[in-house]
Amino acid sequence: MSTSMHESGRRLSASELRSLFLFEALDDEKVAWLAQRGWAVTHRAGEAIYTEGEPATCFVVLLSGTVSLSRNIRGDDVELSRTDQVGVYGGATQAYLGEQVAQVYNNTMHAMTDAEVYELPAVEFGPVVREWFPMAMHLLEGLFFGMRNSNNAVAERERLLALGSLSAGLTHELNNPAAAAVRATAVLRDKVAGMRHKLAMIADGRIDGERLHGLVELQETAVKKAQNAPKRTALQTSDAEDAIGDWLDGHDVSGAWDLAPTLVAGGVEVAWLEDVASCIGELDLEPAVRWLSYTIETELLMGEIDDAVARISGLVGAAKQYSQLDRGPFQVVDVHELLDATLIMLNAKIPQGVRVVTEYDRSVPRIPAYAAELNQVWTNLIDNGVSAMHGSGTLTITTGLDSTGNCLSVDIHDTGSGIAPEVRPRIFEPFFTTKPVGEGTGLGLDISYRIVVKKHHGDIRVASEPGSTHFTVTLPLQETR
């Protein structure tokens, strides 16, 4: 429902109009003009006073009650603000720009309680404002179009920089497992060819069926050993390789010290090699050991490929979790999943000298939230913390309930240089940054503040001293829209 003039509304007196801060400085003639053309109209709780996208027909001033402003973003209504302050205004606020700007409502105003508003026709309000305040109109036009162009340019660069940084990081992370999979596949091809060659040597008639059957069983055992090979320290590995190498040398197996590392990596021990010798006999021991070694190595290579593919799949999953491309804008989420996805996406940007510690309270419940927007918050706060440490320090992310028990708390702590006391009050201002020219736009914390406070009705606070900075975000456990 869009606003229109209501015959059932009441006229406001000059004194009532002067009580509104917007009109208190106007002279009697202008107040009389407003009193003759506007109406005070009552809207019931839950009613739309005006609707986004419809022609902006009225300028609206709140007289009593509580209203909210919201915008439709990708099919979802996002609340921007909620207030009961008398005199706040909305609706056709750009009527003075005339045809230079499309005159449609840029948001929706809802009456959260029964509310009375003053409605003034935009078709009359716009021209008279230009007539009453000509110099102010020139200044406002310059400010409006200048800021719009500036904001568009800066926001576009901010998005491109963020996208480029995350893309570079993700590409770097994907490159390592992809290269490992390619390398393992190439080596695997050679090992399979070697297995075919050795199998032909084993099956040339010298080994009878019973021993060949035993060798196949040993091969199955070798595969299981490779799959469940124990983790060894460097010293334990060296000792095991010496024992295997000595045994192979003692049984005249050539290239013993080349075979030993593969056999040890596959969990082979001397006792098992004794079983191989008993099954095959000394005459055919070397081709049998080499064939079993190829079996073990192919199994290890397939394990490498499996790990690499799982890593790639995990990165793609983290990217989906981070971007929330396949999910609704507003949903019930596990904040820990969002934090982990953000850390994966930023991993390439975190220097080796920075240690990341996560202290999650997994008992905290899932919360209703705009997941993709929260990921922007975590990205900004983590990136700022890492930058403040200049390549060395500890970043600690802690979750839990706040002191009231009604909100989830996320604390991001860095051991960087801290925020100077004279700067701290300004850090959430748009375009304010302490980074060198070209390294920051000053929008990160402003965006984070608006996402947490305006969109989620939570809070974001900072406490800082040299060597310790805490950004604490609190988010309601229950939906408060």
Side-chain angles (χ1 to χ4, degrees):
M1 178 179 78
S2 65
T3 298
S4 59
M5 302 311 296
H6 292 263
E7 292 294 335
S8 59
R10 67 182 181 89
R11 297 288 192 184
L12 293 185
S13 66
S15 60
E16 286 178 297
L17 285 169
R18 284 196 185 282
S19 69
L20 302 172
F21 65 82
L22 197 61
F23 307 131
E24 62 183 359
L26 297 181
D27 60 36
D28 292 342
E29 182 182 355
K30 293 181 177 62
V31 172
W33 186 94
L34 292 171
Q36 293 170 6
R37 287 166 175 78
W39 296 82
V41 181
T42 298
H43 294 270
R44 297 299 181 189
E47 184 179 344
I49 297 172
Y50 61 78
T51 303
E52 180 181 357
E54 293 187 354
T57 58
C58 281
F59 178 74
V60 178
V61 182
L62 181 64
L63 300 177
S64 67
T66 300
V67 296
S68 73
L69 293 182
S70 64
R71 289 196 62 187
N72 187 285
I73 301 176
R74 297 181 181 178
D76 191 68
D77 285 330
V78 178
E79 184 175 305
L80 305 176
S81 64
R82 184 180 301 196
T83 183
D84 59 1
Q85 182 183 350
V86 174
V88 296
Y89 53 88
T93 56
Q94 297 173 1
Y96 64 86
L97 293 171
E99 296 180 356
Q100 298 177 83
V101 173
Q103 294 300 318
V104 297
Y105 292 118
N106 294 322
N107 48 56
T108 297
M109 180 182 286
H110 277 99
M112 306 307 295
T113 65
D114 288 353
E116 187 177 38
V117 297
Y118 173 68
E119 300 180 356
L120 187 65
V123 67
E124 296 185 68
F125 169 67
V128 80
V129 170
R130 297 184 68 88
E131 178 186 334
W132 287 352
F133 311 106
M135 183 176 177
M137 289 304 97
H138 290 302
L139 294 174
L140 283 173
E141 284 181 353
L143 179 64
F144 175 83
F145 292 110
M147 285 295 293
R148 186 174 68 176
N149 294 338
S150 176
N151 286 345
N152 288 342
V154 172
E156 183 67 22
R157 177 165 176 77
E158 183 84 0
R159 287 192 293 269
L160 288 174
L161 286 174
L163 179 60
S165 178
L166 290 174
S167 297
L170 183 60
T171 301
H172 175 79
E173 292 294 314
L174 287 170
N175 182 65
N176 292 332
V182 170
R183 180 198 62 79
T185 301
V187 176
L188 181 61
R189 186 176 290 109
D190 292 338
K191 297 305 176 183
V192 170
M195 282 185 68
R196 290 197 299 266
H197 177 65
K198 292 299 178 187
L199 182 60
M201 293 177 62
I202 290 172
D204 63 359
R206 292 185 300 173
I207 299 179
D208 60 35
E210 183 178 349
R211 287 195 296 167
L212 187 59
H213 182 73
L215 183 60
V216 171
E217 289 183 352
L218 287 168
Q219 184 188 39
E220 292 300 318
T221 305
V223 169
K224 292 179 181 178
K225 281 183 171 294
Q227 291 174 344
N228 301 288
K231 300 293 183 183
R232 292 186 170 101
T233 65
L235 182 59
Q236 290 172 334
T237 299
S238 178
D239 290 343
E241 289 178 359
D242 287 343
I244 295 291
D246 289 340
W247 188 93
L248 293 174
D249 262 347
H251 289 75
D252 298 323
V253 176
S254 61
W257 299 103
D258 294 328
L259 294 173
T262 299
L263 295 172
V264 170
V268 169
E269 299 173 346
V270 169
W272 187 76
L273 290 174
E274 293 286 359
D275 293 340
V276 175
S278 299
C279 176
I280 299 301
E282 292 293 330
L283 183 63
D284 298 310
L285 179 60
E286 180 170 335
V289 168
R290 289 191 176 277
W291 186 53
L292 293 170
S293 176
Y294 281 128
T295 297
I296 290 170
E297 192 159 7
T298 55
E299 187 62 31
L300 293 174
L301 288 167
M302 285 190 288
E304 284 186 31
I305 294 172
D306 185 59
D307 289 343
V309 172
R311 174 66 176 156
I312 292 171
S313 178
L315 286 167
V316 172
K320 286 180 65 178
Q321 176 69 264
Y322 181 83
S323 64
Q324 297 289 309
L325 287 177
D326 60 343
R327 306 188 182 194
F330 192 79
Q331 58 192 291
V332 177
V333 299
D334 183 343
V335 169
H336 304 111
E337 293 179 358
L338 304 184
L339 288 166
D340 287 339
T342 303
L343 286 171
I344 290 173
M345 295 296 291
L346 294 176
N347 185 57
K349 295 185 66 176
I350 300 176
Q352 290 186 350
V354 172
R355 186 167 70 100
V356 177
V357 178
T358 54
E359 298 177 350
Y360 294 162
D361 179 357
R362 297 284 184 177
S363 67
V364 299
R366 295 161 68 90
I367 64 169
Y370 298 92
E373 283 82 351
L374 281 185
N375 282 337
Q376 292 182 50
V377 175
W378 312 141
T379 298
N380 292 332
L381 297 182
I382 292 171
D383 185 56
N384 282 351
V386 170
S387 298
M389 290 185 283
H390 304 293
S392 177
T394 301
L395 183 79
T396 305
I397 304 175
T398 306
T399 64
L401 295 178
D402 73 345
S403 58
T404 69
N406 297 320
C407 291
L408 180 145
S409 172
V410 178
D411 183 83
I412 298 177
H413 172 249
D414 68 75
T415 57
S417 54
I419 304 170
E422 62 271 17
V423 168
R424 202 174 308 152
R426 299 189 60 197
I427 61 173
F428 294 111
E429 292 180 12
F431 305 106
F432 179 78
T433 179
T434 58
K435 294 180 181 179
V437 175
E439 291 187 17
T441 60
L443 290 177
L445 290 179
D446 169 56
I447 291 171
S448 299
Y449 181 87
R450 285 190 278 115
I451 289 172
V452 172
V453 178
K454 301 295 185 182
K455 201 163 185 179
H456 289 87
H457 306 292
D459 194 15
I460 178 170
R461 297 184 180 183
V462 61
S464 183
E465 61 184 30
S468 178
T469 298
H470 289 265
F471 276 93
T472 303
V473 174
T474 54
L475 299 164
L477 298 180
Q478 304 295 328
E479 185 177 352
T480 57
R481 293 195 298 165

